mmCIF file of all heavy atoms in Angstrom:
data_model
loop_
_atom_site.group_PDB
_atom_site.id
_atom_site.type_symbol
_atom_site.label_atom_id
_atom_site.label_comp_id
_atom_site.label_asym_id
_atom_site.label_seq_id
_atom_site.Cartn_x
_atom_site.Cartn_y
_atom_site.Cartn_z
ATOM 1 N N TRP A 86 62.262 -13.762 -68.560
ATOM 2 C CA TRP A 86 62.735 -12.414 -68.910
ATOM 3 C C TRP A 86 63.801 -12.442 -70.004
ATOM 4 O O TRP A 86 64.010 -11.454 -70.705
ATOM 5 C CB TRP A 86 63.308 -11.731 -67.660
ATOM 6 C CG TRP A 86 64.302 -12.563 -66.897
ATOM 7 C CD1 TRP A 86 64.039 -13.433 -65.885
ATOM 8 C CD2 TRP A 86 65.723 -12.619 -67.108
ATOM 9 N NE1 TRP A 86 65.206 -14.037 -65.437
ATOM 10 C CE2 TRP A 86 66.251 -13.541 -66.165
ATOM 11 C CE3 TRP A 86 66.598 -11.977 -67.977
ATOM 12 C CZ2 TRP A 86 67.610 -13.836 -66.094
ATOM 13 C CZ3 TRP A 86 67.954 -12.271 -67.906
ATOM 14 C CH2 TRP A 86 68.447 -13.192 -66.968
ATOM 15 N N ILE A 87 64.457 -13.604 -70.179
ATOM 16 C CA ILE A 87 65.484 -13.719 -71.226
ATOM 17 C C ILE A 87 64.856 -13.511 -72.606
ATOM 18 O O ILE A 87 65.464 -12.905 -73.503
ATOM 19 C CB ILE A 87 66.187 -15.085 -71.140
ATOM 20 C CG1 ILE A 87 67.015 -15.171 -69.856
ATOM 21 C CG2 ILE A 87 67.064 -15.330 -72.368
ATOM 22 C CD1 ILE A 87 67.686 -16.517 -69.640
ATOM 23 N N ASP A 88 63.623 -14.009 -72.792
ATOM 24 C CA ASP A 88 62.953 -13.875 -74.091
ATOM 25 C C ASP A 88 62.644 -12.417 -74.416
ATOM 26 O O ASP A 88 62.558 -12.047 -75.576
ATOM 27 C CB ASP A 88 61.657 -14.694 -74.090
ATOM 28 C CG ASP A 88 61.905 -16.176 -73.901
ATOM 29 O OD1 ASP A 88 62.805 -16.700 -74.569
ATOM 30 O OD2 ASP A 88 61.213 -16.800 -73.075
ATOM 31 N N VAL A 89 62.485 -11.608 -73.389
ATOM 32 C CA VAL A 89 62.273 -10.177 -73.605
ATOM 33 C C VAL A 89 63.588 -9.516 -74.005
ATOM 34 O O VAL A 89 63.646 -8.720 -74.954
ATOM 35 C CB VAL A 89 61.698 -9.508 -72.337
ATOM 36 C CG1 VAL A 89 61.537 -8.011 -72.558
ATOM 37 C CG2 VAL A 89 60.362 -10.144 -71.962
ATOM 38 N N LEU A 90 64.658 -9.876 -73.303
ATOM 39 C CA LEU A 90 65.964 -9.283 -73.605
ATOM 40 C C LEU A 90 66.444 -9.636 -75.004
ATOM 41 O O LEU A 90 67.073 -8.820 -75.678
ATOM 42 C CB LEU A 90 66.991 -9.743 -72.567
ATOM 43 C CG LEU A 90 66.830 -9.201 -71.133
ATOM 44 C CD1 LEU A 90 67.963 -9.713 -70.247
ATOM 45 C CD2 LEU A 90 66.830 -7.668 -71.128
ATOM 46 N N THR A 91 66.182 -10.875 -75.443
ATOM 47 C CA THR A 91 66.647 -11.308 -76.775
ATOM 48 C C THR A 91 65.760 -10.790 -77.903
ATOM 49 O O THR A 91 66.087 -10.962 -79.082
ATOM 50 C CB THR A 91 66.697 -12.841 -76.849
ATOM 51 O OG1 THR A 91 65.393 -13.376 -76.587
ATOM 52 C CG2 THR A 91 67.690 -13.407 -75.845
ATOM 53 N N GLY A 92 64.622 -10.190 -77.555
ATOM 54 C CA GLY A 92 63.727 -9.647 -78.574
ATOM 55 C C GLY A 92 62.735 -10.646 -79.134
ATOM 56 O O GLY A 92 61.967 -10.331 -80.050
ATOM 57 N N LYS A 93 62.732 -11.865 -78.589
ATOM 58 C CA LYS A 93 61.858 -12.903 -79.134
ATOM 59 C C LYS A 93 60.379 -12.561 -78.944
ATOM 60 O O LYS A 93 59.566 -12.745 -79.853
ATOM 61 C CB LYS A 93 62.191 -14.239 -78.476
ATOM 62 C CG LYS A 93 61.542 -15.433 -79.134
ATOM 63 C CD LYS A 93 62.288 -16.729 -78.817
ATOM 64 C CE LYS A 93 63.583 -16.832 -79.591
ATOM 65 N NZ LYS A 93 64.213 -18.154 -79.493
ATOM 66 N N MET A 94 60.039 -12.046 -77.759
ATOM 67 C CA MET A 94 58.638 -11.690 -77.494
ATOM 68 C C MET A 94 58.172 -10.579 -78.436
ATOM 69 O O MET A 94 57.039 -10.611 -78.942
ATOM 70 C CB MET A 94 58.481 -11.242 -76.040
ATOM 71 C CG MET A 94 58.847 -12.311 -75.018
ATOM 72 S SD MET A 94 57.773 -13.753 -75.126
ATOM 73 C CE MET A 94 56.247 -13.064 -74.556
ATOM 74 N N GLN A 95 59.053 -9.625 -78.689
ATOM 75 C CA GLN A 95 58.692 -8.530 -79.589
ATOM 76 C C GLN A 95 58.450 -9.041 -81.007
ATOM 77 O O GLN A 95 57.553 -8.551 -81.713
ATOM 78 C CB GLN A 95 59.801 -7.470 -79.591
ATOM 79 C CG GLN A 95 59.958 -6.734 -78.250
ATOM 80 C CD GLN A 95 60.962 -7.410 -77.318
ATOM 81 O OE1 GLN A 95 60.992 -8.631 -77.210
ATOM 82 N NE2 GLN A 95 61.797 -6.598 -76.660
ATOM 83 N N LYS A 96 59.251 -10.031 -81.429
ATOM 84 C CA LYS A 96 59.065 -10.601 -82.770
ATOM 85 C C LYS A 96 57.713 -11.306 -82.879
ATOM 86 O O LYS A 96 57.008 -11.175 -83.885
ATOM 87 C CB LYS A 96 60.197 -11.577 -83.082
ATOM 88 C CG LYS A 96 61.537 -10.914 -83.350
ATOM 89 C CD LYS A 96 62.608 -11.959 -83.656
ATOM 90 C CE LYS A 96 63.957 -11.298 -83.905
ATOM 91 N NZ LYS A 96 65.032 -12.309 -84.162
ATOM 92 N N TYR A 97 57.363 -12.085 -81.854
ATOM 93 C CA TYR A 97 56.072 -12.771 -81.861
ATOM 94 C C TYR A 97 54.930 -11.755 -81.975
ATOM 95 O O TYR A 97 53.991 -11.928 -82.757
ATOM 96 C CB TYR A 97 55.879 -13.589 -80.586
ATOM 97 C CG TYR A 97 56.841 -14.743 -80.395
ATOM 98 C CD1 TYR A 97 56.945 -15.392 -79.169
ATOM 99 C CD2 TYR A 97 57.640 -15.210 -81.435
ATOM 100 C CE1 TYR A 97 57.813 -16.454 -78.972
ATOM 101 C CE2 TYR A 97 58.519 -16.264 -81.259
ATOM 102 C CZ TYR A 97 58.601 -16.886 -80.014
ATOM 103 O OH TYR A 97 59.459 -17.931 -79.820
ATOM 104 N N LYS A 98 55.031 -10.690 -81.165
ATOM 105 C CA LYS A 98 53.962 -9.687 -81.153
ATOM 106 C C LYS A 98 53.887 -8.934 -82.476
ATOM 107 O O LYS A 98 52.789 -8.601 -82.953
ATOM 108 C CB LYS A 98 54.170 -8.726 -79.993
ATOM 109 C CG LYS A 98 53.939 -9.380 -78.631
ATOM 110 C CD LYS A 98 54.273 -8.445 -77.480
ATOM 111 C CE LYS A 98 54.078 -9.142 -76.137
ATOM 112 N NZ LYS A 98 54.464 -8.280 -74.986
ATOM 113 N N ALA A 99 55.045 -8.688 -83.098
ATOM 114 C CA ALA A 99 55.055 -7.990 -84.394
ATOM 115 C C ALA A 99 54.404 -8.847 -85.473
ATOM 116 O O ALA A 99 53.635 -8.345 -86.310
ATOM 117 C CB ALA A 99 56.488 -7.635 -84.786
ATOM 118 N N THR A 100 54.692 -10.138 -85.468
ATOM 119 C CA THR A 100 54.070 -11.047 -86.429
ATOM 120 C C THR A 100 52.564 -11.087 -86.228
ATOM 121 O O THR A 100 51.786 -11.019 -87.186
ATOM 122 C CB THR A 100 54.654 -12.466 -86.284
ATOM 123 O OG1 THR A 100 56.063 -12.438 -86.554
ATOM 124 C CG2 THR A 100 53.992 -13.436 -87.258
ATOM 125 N N PHE A 101 52.151 -11.187 -84.958
ATOM 126 C CA PHE A 101 50.708 -11.227 -84.670
ATOM 127 C C PHE A 101 50.016 -9.955 -85.144
ATOM 128 O O PHE A 101 48.946 -10.013 -85.772
ATOM 129 C CB PHE A 101 50.477 -11.412 -83.166
ATOM 130 C CG PHE A 101 49.051 -11.158 -82.764
ATOM 131 C CD1 PHE A 101 48.072 -12.099 -83.036
ATOM 132 C CD2 PHE A 101 48.685 -9.968 -82.158
ATOM 133 C CE1 PHE A 101 46.742 -11.865 -82.699
ATOM 134 C CE2 PHE A 101 47.369 -9.724 -81.811
ATOM 135 C CZ PHE A 101 46.391 -10.681 -82.082
ATOM 136 N N GLU A 102 50.591 -8.812 -84.846
ATOM 137 C CA GLU A 102 49.953 -7.545 -85.218
ATOM 138 C C GLU A 102 49.818 -7.413 -86.734
ATOM 139 O O GLU A 102 48.796 -6.920 -87.231
ATOM 140 C CB GLU A 102 50.755 -6.374 -84.646
ATOM 141 C CG GLU A 102 50.633 -6.249 -83.127
ATOM 142 C CD GLU A 102 51.641 -5.285 -82.522
ATOM 143 O OE1 GLU A 102 52.420 -4.682 -83.304
ATOM 144 O OE2 GLU A 102 51.657 -5.141 -81.288
ATOM 145 N N SER A 103 50.825 -7.878 -87.478
ATOM 146 C CA SER A 103 50.755 -7.807 -88.948
ATOM 147 C C SER A 103 49.667 -8.725 -89.489
ATOM 148 O O SER A 103 48.908 -8.353 -90.388
ATOM 149 C CB SER A 103 52.111 -8.171 -89.551
ATOM 150 O OG SER A 103 53.099 -7.236 -89.198
ATOM 151 N N LEU A 104 49.600 -9.946 -88.943
ATOM 152 C CA LEU A 104 48.580 -10.886 -89.403
ATOM 153 C C LEU A 104 47.186 -10.427 -88.984
ATOM 154 O O LEU A 104 46.224 -10.560 -89.750
ATOM 155 C CB LEU A 104 48.867 -12.279 -88.843
ATOM 156 C CG LEU A 104 49.897 -13.089 -89.627
ATOM 157 C CD1 LEU A 104 50.324 -14.318 -88.843
ATOM 158 C CD2 LEU A 104 49.344 -13.499 -90.982
ATOM 159 N N ASP A 105 47.072 -9.893 -87.786
ATOM 160 C CA ASP A 105 45.774 -9.400 -87.319
ATOM 161 C C ASP A 105 45.271 -8.291 -88.233
ATOM 162 O O ASP A 105 44.081 -8.248 -88.583
ATOM 163 C CB ASP A 105 45.914 -8.898 -85.883
ATOM 164 C CG ASP A 105 44.584 -8.531 -85.265
ATOM 165 O OD1 ASP A 105 43.706 -9.414 -85.186
ATOM 166 O OD2 ASP A 105 44.418 -7.358 -84.878
ATOM 167 N N ALA A 106 46.179 -7.422 -88.654
ATOM 168 C CA ALA A 106 45.803 -6.345 -89.583
ATOM 169 C C ALA A 106 45.381 -6.921 -90.938
ATOM 170 O O ALA A 106 44.434 -6.426 -91.571
ATOM 171 C CB ALA A 106 46.973 -5.373 -89.755
ATOM 172 N N LEU A 107 46.070 -7.978 -91.386
ATOM 173 C CA LEU A 107 45.727 -8.632 -92.648
ATOM 174 C C LEU A 107 44.317 -9.208 -92.594
ATOM 175 O O LEU A 107 43.522 -9.042 -93.526
ATOM 176 C CB LEU A 107 46.738 -9.737 -92.945
ATOM 177 C CG LEU A 107 46.509 -10.547 -94.222
ATOM 178 C CD1 LEU A 107 46.871 -9.731 -95.447
ATOM 179 C CD2 LEU A 107 47.330 -11.835 -94.198
ATOM 180 N N PHE A 108 43.982 -9.870 -91.480
ATOM 181 C CA PHE A 108 42.652 -10.459 -91.339
ATOM 182 C C PHE A 108 41.580 -9.382 -91.222
ATOM 183 O O PHE A 108 40.485 -9.519 -91.782
ATOM 184 C CB PHE A 108 42.609 -11.384 -90.120
ATOM 185 C CG PHE A 108 43.514 -12.581 -90.235
ATOM 186 C CD1 PHE A 108 44.127 -13.113 -89.120
ATOM 187 C CD2 PHE A 108 43.748 -13.178 -91.451
ATOM 188 C CE1 PHE A 108 44.962 -14.206 -89.211
ATOM 189 C CE2 PHE A 108 44.583 -14.275 -91.580
ATOM 190 C CZ PHE A 108 45.190 -14.796 -90.453
ATOM 191 N N ASP A 109 41.879 -8.315 -90.484
ATOM 192 C CA ASP A 109 40.927 -7.204 -90.378
ATOM 193 C C ASP A 109 40.635 -6.615 -91.756
ATOM 194 O O ASP A 109 39.482 -6.290 -92.091
ATOM 195 C CB ASP A 109 41.481 -6.108 -89.456
ATOM 196 C CG ASP A 109 41.287 -6.430 -87.976
ATOM 197 O OD1 ASP A 109 40.362 -7.198 -87.656
ATOM 198 O OD2 ASP A 109 42.069 -5.920 -87.158
ATOM 199 N N GLU A 110 41.682 -6.483 -92.546
ATOM 200 C CA GLU A 110 41.535 -5.940 -93.908
ATOM 201 C C GLU A 110 40.665 -6.853 -94.760
ATOM 202 O O GLU A 110 39.771 -6.389 -95.482
ATOM 203 C CB GLU A 110 42.929 -5.795 -94.521
ATOM 204 C CG GLU A 110 42.958 -5.269 -95.934
ATOM 205 C CD GLU A 110 44.376 -5.271 -96.495
ATOM 206 O OE1 GLU A 110 45.277 -4.700 -95.838
ATOM 207 O OE2 GLU A 110 44.587 -5.856 -97.566
ATOM 208 N N ALA A 111 40.907 -8.174 -94.660
ATOM 209 C CA ALA A 111 40.124 -9.124 -95.449
ATOM 210 C C ALA A 111 38.656 -9.113 -95.030
ATOM 211 O O ALA A 111 37.749 -9.147 -95.880
ATOM 212 C CB ALA A 111 40.704 -10.534 -95.285
ATOM 213 N N ILE A 112 38.393 -9.052 -93.727
ATOM 214 C CA ILE A 112 37.011 -9.025 -93.233
ATOM 215 C C ILE A 112 36.305 -7.752 -93.687
ATOM 216 O O ILE A 112 35.143 -7.787 -94.123
ATOM 217 C CB ILE A 112 36.996 -9.163 -91.699
ATOM 218 C CG1 ILE A 112 37.453 -10.563 -91.295
ATOM 219 C CG2 ILE A 112 35.604 -8.878 -91.145
ATOM 220 C CD1 ILE A 112 37.698 -10.734 -89.809
ATOM 221 N N ALA A 113 37.003 -6.613 -93.608
ATOM 222 C CA ALA A 113 36.420 -5.340 -94.043
ATOM 223 C C ALA A 113 36.077 -5.377 -95.536
ATOM 224 O O ALA A 113 35.006 -4.899 -95.961
ATOM 225 C CB ALA A 113 37.385 -4.195 -93.753
ATOM 226 N N GLU A 114 36.958 -5.958 -96.352
ATOM 227 C CA GLU A 114 36.698 -6.085 -97.790
ATOM 228 C C GLU A 114 35.441 -6.907 -98.047
ATOM 229 O O GLU A 114 34.618 -6.565 -98.909
ATOM 230 C CB GLU A 114 37.899 -6.733 -98.479
ATOM 231 C CG GLU A 114 39.115 -5.836 -98.614
ATOM 232 C CD GLU A 114 40.290 -6.561 -99.245
ATOM 233 O OE1 GLU A 114 40.169 -7.780 -99.521
ATOM 234 O OE2 GLU A 114 41.334 -5.920 -99.466
ATOM 235 N N HIS A 115 35.284 -7.999 -97.300
ATOM 236 C CA HIS A 115 34.132 -8.869 -97.506
ATOM 237 C C HIS A 115 32.833 -8.202 -97.061
ATOM 238 O O HIS A 115 31.789 -8.390 -97.698
ATOM 239 C CB HIS A 115 34.335 -10.193 -96.762
ATOM 240 C CG HIS A 115 35.247 -11.132 -97.479
ATOM 241 N ND1 HIS A 115 36.601 -10.908 -97.609
ATOM 242 C CD2 HIS A 115 34.995 -12.308 -98.115
ATOM 243 C CE1 HIS A 115 37.138 -11.907 -98.291
ATOM 244 N NE2 HIS A 115 36.192 -12.770 -98.611
ATOM 245 N N LEU A 116 32.890 -7.422 -95.993
ATOM 246 C CA LEU A 116 31.687 -6.713 -95.549
ATOM 247 C C LEU A 116 31.267 -5.668 -96.579
ATOM 248 O O LEU A 116 30.070 -5.465 -96.833
ATOM 249 C CB LEU A 116 31.954 -6.059 -94.190
ATOM 250 C CG LEU A 116 32.088 -7.026 -93.005
ATOM 251 C CD1 LEU A 116 32.523 -6.282 -91.751
ATOM 252 C CD2 LEU A 116 30.768 -7.762 -92.763
ATOM 253 N N THR A 117 32.258 -5.025 -97.209
ATOM 254 C CA THR A 117 31.961 -4.051 -98.263
ATOM 255 C C THR A 117 31.316 -4.724 -99.464
ATOM 256 O O THR A 117 30.315 -4.246 -100.021
ATOM 257 C CB THR A 117 33.248 -3.317 -98.697
ATOM 258 O OG1 THR A 117 33.819 -2.642 -97.578
ATOM 259 C CG2 THR A 117 32.959 -2.322 -99.809
ATOM 260 N N LEU A 118 31.900 -5.868 -99.876
ATOM 261 C CA LEU A 118 31.348 -6.610 -101.014
ATOM 262 C C LEU A 118 29.939 -7.104 -100.718
ATOM 263 O O LEU A 118 29.085 -7.152 -101.603
ATOM 264 C CB LEU A 118 32.255 -7.794 -101.356
ATOM 265 C CG LEU A 118 33.601 -7.445 -101.990
ATOM 266 C CD1 LEU A 118 34.498 -8.683 -102.060
ATOM 267 C CD2 LEU A 118 33.391 -6.871 -103.392
ATOM 268 N N LYS A 119 29.716 -7.468 -99.457
ATOM 269 C CA LYS A 119 28.388 -7.946 -99.078
ATOM 270 C C LYS A 119 27.356 -6.831 -99.207
ATOM 271 O O LYS A 119 26.221 -7.059 -99.650
ATOM 272 C CB LYS A 119 28.419 -8.474 -97.648
ATOM 273 C CG LYS A 119 27.118 -9.115 -97.220
ATOM 274 C CD LYS A 119 27.228 -9.680 -95.822
ATOM 275 C CE LYS A 119 25.895 -10.307 -95.429
ATOM 276 N NZ LYS A 119 25.913 -10.830 -94.048
ATOM 277 N N MET A 120 27.739 -5.635 -98.838
ATOM 278 C CA MET A 120 26.835 -4.482 -98.966
ATOM 279 C C MET A 120 26.508 -4.198 -100.423
ATOM 280 O O MET A 120 25.417 -3.726 -100.757
ATOM 281 C CB MET A 120 27.455 -3.253 -98.314
ATOM 282 C CG MET A 120 27.547 -3.348 -96.792
ATOM 283 S SD MET A 120 28.364 -1.914 -96.060
ATOM 284 C CE MET A 120 27.212 -0.609 -96.485
ATOM 285 N N GLU A 121 27.451 -4.518 -101.307
ATOM 286 C CA GLU A 121 27.210 -4.326 -102.738
ATOM 287 C C GLU A 121 26.337 -5.427 -103.318
ATOM 288 O O GLU A 121 25.934 -5.372 -104.485
ATOM 289 C CB GLU A 121 28.548 -4.283 -103.483
ATOM 290 C CG GLU A 121 29.416 -3.079 -103.083
ATOM 291 C CD GLU A 121 30.804 -3.138 -103.692
ATOM 292 O OE1 GLU A 121 31.098 -4.156 -104.377
ATOM 293 O OE2 GLU A 121 31.587 -2.198 -103.492
ATOM 294 N N ASP A 122 26.102 -6.483 -102.498
ATOM 295 C CA ASP A 122 25.186 -7.573 -102.878
ATOM 296 C C ASP A 122 25.615 -8.249 -104.182
ATOM 297 O O ASP A 122 24.839 -8.404 -105.116
ATOM 298 C CB ASP A 122 23.761 -7.026 -103.020
ATOM 299 C CG ASP A 122 22.723 -8.149 -102.930
ATOM 300 O OD1 ASP A 122 23.052 -9.192 -102.334
ATOM 301 O OD2 ASP A 122 21.624 -7.976 -103.473
ATOM 302 N N ASN A 123 26.880 -8.665 -104.218
ATOM 303 C CA ASN A 123 27.423 -9.328 -105.406
ATOM 304 C C ASN A 123 27.215 -10.839 -105.287
ATOM 305 O O ASN A 123 28.010 -11.549 -104.684
ATOM 306 C CB ASN A 123 28.921 -9.000 -105.531
ATOM 307 C CG ASN A 123 29.509 -9.543 -106.813
ATOM 308 O OD1 ASN A 123 28.854 -10.275 -107.565
ATOM 309 N ND2 ASN A 123 30.756 -9.185 -107.068
ATOM 310 N N HIS A 124 26.101 -11.349 -105.825
ATOM 311 C CA HIS A 124 25.756 -12.766 -105.680
ATOM 312 C C HIS A 124 26.565 -13.671 -106.599
ATOM 313 O O HIS A 124 26.608 -14.882 -106.409
ATOM 314 C CB HIS A 124 24.261 -12.977 -105.953
ATOM 315 C CG HIS A 124 23.377 -12.306 -104.953
ATOM 316 N ND1 HIS A 124 23.297 -12.707 -103.633
ATOM 317 C CD2 HIS A 124 22.534 -11.230 -105.077
ATOM 318 C CE1 HIS A 124 22.433 -11.931 -102.978
ATOM 319 N NE2 HIS A 124 21.965 -11.023 -103.830
ATOM 320 N N SER A 125 27.182 -13.097 -107.618
ATOM 321 C CA SER A 125 27.917 -13.923 -108.583
ATOM 322 C C SER A 125 29.251 -14.404 -108.043
ATOM 323 O O SER A 125 29.837 -15.353 -108.554
ATOM 324 C CB SER A 125 28.147 -13.134 -109.878
ATOM 325 O OG SER A 125 28.951 -11.991 -109.627
#
């Protein structure tokens, strides 16, 4: 429970959520490009 009081758990979760959003964005971009069928 000390890690919750010190805010450490919240920091870990904030980092994860930001990175997860970054990866979701990258995957969405690639799916869009794939639909455009850019073979080059």
Side-chain angles (χ1 to χ4, degrees):
W86 50 270
I87 292 177
D88 298 314
V89 178
L90 291 182
T91 59
K93 191 158 285 190
M94 299 297 292
Q95 293 91 319
K96 288 180 181 178
Y97 295 167
K98 291 175 182 177
T100 299
F101 167 76
E102 289 168 2
S103 296
L104 277 168
D105 187 59
L107 179 74
F108 296 147
D109 279 335
E110 179 185 307
I112 292 170
E114 287 177 357
H115 282 70
L116 290 173
T117 301
L118 289 170
K119 186 177 180 182
M120 291 177 64
E121 296 173 357
D122 200 24
N123 186 353
H124 295 292
S125 63

